[in-house]
């Protein structure tokens, strides 16, 4: 019986420690990456502004080939909405909120049914007539106590992988 009592205290102690650490950690997060693609800027921009193409290169879609996808609106226009359900990478929604032709695509991301938008963008900048710098970033909030995940999960790696996949796809075309 003493063993169960000590085990209970240990488990409760660990829970308290996790909650205290989560209370100290920031709730805001930022992740992203950049890459140079050997394709003209307009060609790269025209590909990334279509959210239906994201499933070809983003790392999360590659982790779960069985993602259920639903699209609403005209792809590549403000208001276009992409909703997904996945047992492996979670559920969410992405809404195209602003287009700066040939330069930037702004999106709001909502994870697991939350009402708070995480702001994301992709920008394309010509380096020369045959090369483009692509930046893909997100800023958002992780609710307490889930912000503890920031200690164990590095989203930058997912953005790196996604942009590497994008580079591979576009440079083969």
């Amino acid at each position: 019986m003493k063993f169960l009592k000590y085990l209970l205290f240990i488990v409760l102690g660990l829970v308290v420690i996790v909650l205290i650490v989560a209370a100290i950690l920031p709730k805001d997060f930022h992740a992203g990456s950049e890459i140079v693609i050997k394709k003209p800027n307009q060609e790269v921009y025209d590909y990334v502004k279509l959210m239906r193409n994201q499933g070809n290169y983003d790392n999360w879609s590659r982790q779960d080939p069985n993602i259920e996808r639903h699209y609403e609106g005209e792809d590549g226009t403000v208001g276009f909405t992409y909703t997904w359900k996945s047992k492996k990478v979670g559920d969410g929604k992405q809404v195209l909120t602003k287009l700066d032709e040939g330069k930037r695509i702004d999106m709001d991301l909502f994870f697991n049914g939350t009402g708070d938008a995480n702001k994301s963008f992709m920008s394309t900048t010509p380096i020369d007539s045959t090369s483009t710098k692509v930046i893909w970033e997100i800023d958002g909030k992780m609710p307490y106590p889930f912000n503890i995940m920031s200690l164990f999960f590095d989203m930058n790696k997912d953005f790196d992988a996604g942009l590497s996949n994008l580079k591979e796809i576009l440079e083969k075309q």
Side-chain angles (χ1 to χ4, degrees), residues 151-169:
L151 293 176
F152 309 103
F153 183 66
D154 182 7
M155 276 201 317
N156 291 313
K157 291 179 183 178
D158 289 317
F159 284 92
D160 288 341
L163 288 178
S164 291
N165 297 335
L166 177 65
K167 177 182 177 81
E168 182 180 335
I169 290 167

Side-chain angles (χ1 to χ4, degrees), residues 60-130:
W60 305 280
S61 293
R62 289 181 174 217
Q63 290 175 34
D64 184 2
N66 297 316
I67 288 179
E68 293 177 38
R69 294 180 174 91
H70 180 71
Y71 304 100
E72 293 178 29
E74 184 181 335
D75 201 357
T77 64
V78 171
F80 182 78
T81 303
Y82 162 44
T83 308
W84 67 91
K85 291 186 183 293
S86 169
K87 291 180 182 176
K88 289 186 180 179
V89 297
D91 303 341
K93 177 172 82 169
Q94 183 172 344
V95 180
L96 205 156
T97 58
K98 184 179 177 187
L99 293 166
D100 188 359
E101 185 59 39
K103 296 179 184 171
R104 184 172 159 133
I105 302 106
D106 287 275
M107 301 154 282
D108 283 352
L109 275 88
F110 303 88
F111 297 112
N112 297 322
T114 63
D116 298 326
N118 297 287
K119 301 295 185 179
S120 179
F121 75 88
M122 291 186 86
S123 68
T124 61
T125 306
I127 294 175
D128 56 37
S129 64
T130 61

